[in-house]
Amino acid sequence: MKKFSVTSLAMIIFVGVFGFPNIANNFKAVGTSASLMLMVGAIIFFLPLCLIMAEFGAYAKDRAAGIYAWIEIGLGKKIAYIAIWSYFVANIFYLPTLATRIPTYLSFVFFGDAEVTNTQTALLGTVALIFALIIGLKYEKQFHKVSTFVGYLSLFVAGIFLVAGIYVYATGQSSTAITATTFAINLHDKPSIAMILSTFAWIIFAFGGAEICGVYVDKLDEPEKNFPKAIFIASATIGILYVLGILAIATFGTADEFSQVSLVNAVISGYQFMGQKLGLGPWFIRMIAVSYTLITTVSLVLWSVALAKSVFSEVPEGTFPEWLTRKTETGVLKNSLIFQTILALLFIFLTTFGGDKAGELYYKIYDMSTMSFIVPYFFLALSYIIFKKKNHISPFQAVKNPIAGMILGSLLLILCLVSLIFSGYDISKSFADQMGTIELYYGGLLFFLLIGVVIKFFSGKKR
């Protein structure tokens, strides 16, 4: 098989991580100060995370399980299982989310607005999931060519937004006043501090996803050199676009105006505000909608394949039911890809055709899975600390001094703890007043971890 290029892998990371809704929603929450917060998040969280992944990827260059392999190196198979099970729980709900965004974008393509019913969303989302499954089963080895093209497309579309924002600001048409004081973070009272802590915790979520590159490290030529290059190119691009994206979006509309926009429509709405500022016709929104239809479809394929490889490709026998980890002659995890697709389809049909009670149940379970997203990063940081303590030598070293490496890992570990705590706990409210939220988030995490333990127990017992 032809090897991946550095650019191909960088574009895979970019498509997997960069999300315009993260810009819109953080701007809605705290205004232009989100730009400074994203900058801080990129420097103290995303950069250390990428450095650690680059070092692990170069060290385990022949392994295709990504984050599972990296955690196993430092902490062993049992902890790696807990981490990867949490990773599966967090991301299996992301697949139907991606799939059901595609019908909304298609509606903008054909009708110029989000005129799509729940039934149409479910049916078109089903088509998207089945399409992603077919690509994953038949054409995954050639798909990096499409990913590279769509990565450039995503960069181009984001670039249009940034350039237009600069033009609007330079011509004095900005909807939001952008001065040095607008970047200030309000820490004057307890509620504002709570808002900042909560927002910063969720900003960490915006940088999640770069680990999908780990399942492609063995497909790179000279991975010990090119894998870190790809990560650095992608991480720098993502960090810069997130920071500048907040400034651009502020020129097209105020935080209050964007607060009226739903999460699903946040992507297109940003460009609608831009089109109104510049007097662009309906063709512009249709063009953007076509672009995001392609971007989201490719992202769905990448996440589906990466999730299966990370979770099921290298776990020991008896960890999961044997049929889930079985590979075809060409190394494709056929059964796990089908299993993931079926689960995603069940989630879509449950929320669409199951009635109000079924929908409420699904979204409650979805919220319960939220904290699972942080667990793999927490254990990755801990694994890196052990890795450096044992003085393992990687072809690429983020830092050569073991003590400095342990400090780097500790920084990531502390930030993961901060995110875990303050994404579900508000310091401005009493413990009793938010007991329901605490039970939902942290009780949900314990609930899913318990399910993982039960699955491993019965899988091992059957073996």
Side-chain angles (χ1 to χ4, degrees):
M1 188 190 73
K2 185 179 179 181
K3 294 286 187 177
F4 280 28
S5 67
V6 172
T7 305
S8 295
L9 188 58
M11 289 301 100
I12 286 174
I13 299 169
F14 182 78
V15 173
V17 177
F18 184 77
F20 193 91
N22 293 321
I23 294 174
N25 291 317
N26 281 298
F27 177 62
K28 286 194 295 184
V30 293
T32 50
S33 62
S35 181
L36 179 59
M37 295 175 67
L38 280 164
M39 183 185 299
V40 173
I43 294 170
I44 69 173
F45 176 80
F46 193 45
L47 179 59
L49 175 64
C50 290
L51 286 170
I52 289 171
M53 290 193 299
E55 186 163 343
F56 269 131
Y59 182 81
K61 60 184 179 181
D62 298 321
R63 301 187 64 174
I67 195 169
Y68 171 84
W70 304 337
I71 294 172
E72 184 199 48
I73 289 168
L75 299 176
K77 299 182 188 302
K78 291 182 179 179
I79 299 298
Y81 167 74
I82 293 173
I84 210 63
W85 167 251
S86 299
Y87 189 74
F88 179 77
V89 168
N91 286 290
I92 192 61
F93 292 100
Y94 186 53
L95 297 184
T97 300
L98 278 176
T100 51
R101 286 177 185 172
I102 294 172
T104 300
Y105 300 149
L106 286 173
S107 178
F108 276 102
V109 172
F110 293 107
F111 307 110
D113 204 346
E115 296 183 4
V116 56
T117 66
N118 290 338
T119 301
Q120 290 168 338
T121 298
L123 294 177
L124 290 172
T126 298
V127 173
L129 283 167
I130 293 174
F131 174 78
L133 174 63
I134 293 171
I135 296 298
L137 293 175
K138 299 291 185 182
Y139 306 107
E140 185 257 327
K141 294 184 184 298
Q142 297 82 30
F143 194 67
H144 67 281
K145 297 178 182 177
V146 179
S147 303
T148 303
F149 167 76
V150 171
Y152 281 123
L153 175 64
S154 183
L155 273 173
F156 175 72
V157 172
I160 291 174
F161 196 80
L162 297 182
V163 171
I166 293 171
Y167 171 79
V168 170
Y169 177 76
T171 55
Q173 303 177 58
S174 178
S175 297
T176 306
I178 301 176
T179 63
T181 56
T182 61
F183 298 99
I185 298 175
N186 182 12
L187 299 174
H188 298 311
D189 50 40
K190 207 169 183 179
S192 63
I193 294 173
M195 171 66 78
I196 295 302
L197 287 172
S198 175
T199 302
F200 185 77
W202 288 105
I203 280 175
I204 288 179
F205 283 72
F207 288 111
E211 70 283 345
I212 68 171
C213 64
V215 302
Y216 300 106
V217 63
D218 62 329
K219 295 177 174 60
L220 274 172
D221 188 30
E222 297 185 272
E224 65 278 0
K225 180 175 66 175
N226 291 327
F227 186 71
K229 280 184 183 178
I231 286 183
F232 295 146
I233 291 170
S235 61
T237 305
I238 291 164
I240 291 170
L241 287 179
Y242 269 151
V243 171
L244 296 181
I246 294 291
L247 303 182
I249 204 172
T251 65
F252 302 131
T254 65
D256 289 338
E257 288 173 331
F258 274 95
S259 67
Q260 308 301 316
V261 178
S262 69
L263 173 64
V264 177
N265 296 340
V267 173
I268 304 299
S269 295
Y271 287 91
Q272 282 184 320
F273 281 115
M274 171 185 161
Q276 291 167 7
K277 279 282 185 185
L278 301 178
L280 301 175
W283 62 270
F284 175 70
I285 293 303
R286 294 177 191 270
M287 180 190 75
I288 295 298
V290 169
S291 300
Y292 271 97
T293 300
L294 291 173
I295 293 166
T296 309
T297 302
V298 169
S299 184
L300 177 62
V301 175
L302 290 175
W303 271 104
S304 181
V305 171
L307 183 60
K309 284 188 174 183
S310 297
V311 177
F312 301 110
S313 66
E314 290 188 14
V315 291
E317 290 183 21
T319 302
F320 292 109
E322 187 273 334
W323 58 272
L324 265 179
T325 58
R326 192 183 304 149
K327 298 178 183 178
T328 64
E329 292 180 359
T330 56
V332 176
L333 289 156
K334 179 180 178 181
N335 291 343
S336 62
L337 284 169
I338 293 173
F339 174 68
Q340 289 177 178
T341 303
I342 290 173
L343 278 181
L345 289 172
L346 285 175
F347 295 152
I348 290 176
F349 288 127
L350 182 68
T351 54
T352 306
F353 306 112
D356 293 339
K357 293 294 183 182
E360 289 174 8
L361 176 63
Y362 169 78
Y363 288 113
K364 185 174 184 179
I365 294 172
Y366 181 92
D367 288 338
M368 289 170 64
S369 72
T370 303
M371 294 302 175
S372 300
F373 183 82
I374 301 296
V375 174
Y377 299 119
F378 174 85
F379 283 122
L380 178 65
L382 188 58
S383 177
Y384 185 71
I385 294 170
I386 302 300
F387 179 80
K388 299 303 284 189
K389 185 178 180 180
K390 292 182 177 179
N391 205 24
H392 290 299
I393 305 299
S394 173
F396 168 81
Q397 296 182 66
V399 287
K400 293 186 178 181
N401 186 288
I403 295 177
M406 293 167 66
I407 293 173
L408 182 68
S410 298
L411 173 62
L412 185 63
L413 189 74
I414 291 168
L415 290 171
C416 287
L417 283 173
V418 168
S419 180
L420 196 62
I421 293 169
F422 295 110
S423 55
Y425 176 69
D426 187 338
I427 63 169
S428 67
K429 299 178 182 178
S430 68
F431 191 82
D433 289 342
Q434 49 189 324
M435 197 63 199
T437 302
I438 292 170
E439 289 177 351
L440 181 67
Y441 284 136
Y442 302 106
L445 175 59
L446 293 174
F447 172 74
F448 281 114
L449 288 176
L450 180 61
I451 290 177
V453 171
V454 171
I455 290 173
K456 191 175 189 302
F457 173 78
F458 281 106
S459 298
K461 189 175 181 180
K462 184 176 180 181
R463 176 172 174 261

